[in-house]
Amino acid sequence: MERPSGLEEALGALAANPEATLLAGGTDLMVEVNYHSRRPEHVIALRRVEELRQWEGTRLGAGVTFRRIEQGPVRALAQLARTVGSPQIRAAGTIGGNLGTASPAGDSHPFLAACDAHIELQSKRGTRTVLWNEFLVGVKRTSCADDELITAVILPDQLPPRQEFAKIGVRSAMVIATVSACVMVDDDGRARVALGAVGPTVLRARRAEEMINAESVKSEAALAEFGRLVSEEVKPITDHRSTEEYRRHAAGVLSRRLLERCLAA
Ligand SMILES: Cc1cc2nc3c(=O)[nH]c(=O)nc-3n(C[C@H](O)[C@H](O)[C@H](O)COP(=O)(O)OP(=O)(O)OC[C@H]3O[C@@H](n4cnc5c(N)ncnc54)[C@H](O)[C@@H]3O)c2cc1C
């Protein structure tokens, strides 16, 4: 195992061995190793790479843990961080690892989609920044090249002031989301809604957004239609955690509830 102590060293190690497996907090990777017999031959551990742990303004380093995020100033980010695993998982698990795993149920994803965050990727070849939906491209698939590191999440300069995240699962703690949602409302009243665990990747319910943003008064009928459109737009599957039908229903109810909370704030 290599333990680079700085970003340049980490990028060099990855350039020399693009097949290497990156290890951040290990809360996903070690599950793979322990339960699914994944046997990475060459591991690059990122924990000593100080640059990845920096959080300055809108630039959130990939190595920032959910423990720090839950204590941070961004409302919906803190809300989602509090739902991740247990205190032990939050102490080790990072936002970069959550993106690297690219699970459809990754709890940071609805927030990143709702605020149109960018993902910064670095390699010895240079730095590029891609929008969330150019990064998350399928179930456990990203557009990160083998020689690239996720170095940071770049938030927009102005985050919508009203923002809410919540997830539904089979119990209220230590649970993978059956449905997760993040709703944001801008200063000018425009709403955005992003849903997790109801498609191959996180998605924005654009028709629901357009409909509600065209309504100057958010009447009962408009809110009901918003929820209905979200239920229609999501693309869930039936699996061991839930049915497609329940996920559609829950996505609509959850989105409407979060929108109502934002509007009341
Ligand atoms: C008990 C338990 C409960 C959990 N609960 C939740 C939950 O509620 N919500 C949730 O979303 N997740 C949950 N998880 C999953 C996991 O904790 C998160 O996905 C976490 O963010 C992973 O981060 P990590 O630093 O531990 O990643 P690691 O396990 O170290 O890495 C995960 C993947 O990302 C890659 N990677 C890591 N860092 C980088 C980087 N900088 N650049 C490129 N690739 C990188 C790794 O190579 C690996 O493929 C849970 C896991 C466990 C074991």
Side-chain angles (χ1 to χ4, degrees):
M1 184 186 306
E2 286 186 77
R3 292 190 180 84
S5 54
L7 185 57
E8 273 312 307
E9 199 184 329
L11 294 177
L14 195 53
N17 193 346
E19 300 301 309
T21 300
L22 298 166
L23 172 70
T27 60
D28 275 323
L29 186 64
M30 294 315 293
V31 173
E32 293 271 302
V33 169
N34 290 336
Y35 290 102
H36 306 293
S37 306
R38 193 167 155 194
R39 292 281 172 266
E41 285 186 9
H42 190 150
V43 174
I44 301 174
L46 300 173
R47 218 177 284 183
R48 292 171 59 199
V49 181
E50 190 53 41
E51 293 93 322
L52 297 180
R53 295 210 296 263
Q54 305 297 321
W55 182 358
E56 279 160 18
T58 57
R59 191 175 186 283
L60 182 57
V64 174
T65 62
F66 285 111
R67 170 84 181 123
R68 277 182 64 201
I69 294 173
E70 71 178 315
Q71 297 167 331
V74 184
R75 179 178 171 81
L77 255 184
Q79 283 175 328
L80 76 87
R82 280 197 283 280
T83 77
V84 173
S86 59
Q88 293 88 341
I89 296 296
R90 295 197 285 276
T94 63
I95 193 156
N98 203 244
L99 282 166
T101 296
S103 157
D107 279 327
S108 67
H109 305 185
F111 172 87
L112 300 176
C115 73
D116 278 329
H118 286 75
I119 316 302
E120 183 189 274
L121 303 166
Q122 284 193 43
S123 69
K124 277 298 211 187
R125 296 175 287 121
T127 302
R128 65 187 178 114
T129 305
V130 295
L131 192 60
W132 61 274
N133 57 1
E134 297 161 344
F135 178 80
L136 296 163
V137 293
V139 176
K140 300 202 168 186
R141 285 200 305 121
T142 74
S143 59
C144 190
D146 284 347
D147 66 341
E148 281 180 321
L149 266 183
I150 304 164
T151 41
V153 165
I154 312 292
L155 304 179
D157 289 338
Q158 287 283 291
L159 279 169
R162 287 172 284 172
Q163 33 178 280
E164 296 286 336
F165 169 90
K167 77 185 188 192
I168 294 176
V170 291
R171 53 179 189 257
S172 57
M174 280 286 284
V175 71
I176 295 178
T178 300
V179 179
S180 57
C182 186
V183 173
M184 297 186 179
V185 176
D186 291 335
D187 275 326
D188 64 3
R190 293 184 68 78
R192 304 123 174 255
V193 55
L195 288 306
V198 286
T201 63
V202 63
L203 56 87
R204 287 273 290 272
R206 306 275 184 190
R207 281 195 297 131
E209 290 179 3
E210 269 172 38
M211 187 285 298
I212 200 72
N213 291 334
E215 299 284 329
S216 50
V217 178
K218 314 299 188 219
S219 63
E220 174 59 33
L223 292 169
E225 179 62 2
F226 175 76
R228 193 190 68 74
L229 284 173
V230 169
S231 297
E232 223 175 70
E233 283 185 73
V234 293
K235 300 170 185 161
I237 53 165
T238 295
D239 63 10
H240 60 287
R241 280 194 200 100
S242 189
T243 62
E244 174 190 339
E245 193 186 10
Y246 176 76
R247 282 186 161 118
R248 277 192 192 282
H249 172 75
V253 171
L254 189 60
S255 300
R256 178 194 164 146
R257 206 171 281 172
L258 296 180
L259 177 59
E260 284 178 309
R261 280 187 208 161
C262 283
L263 295 174

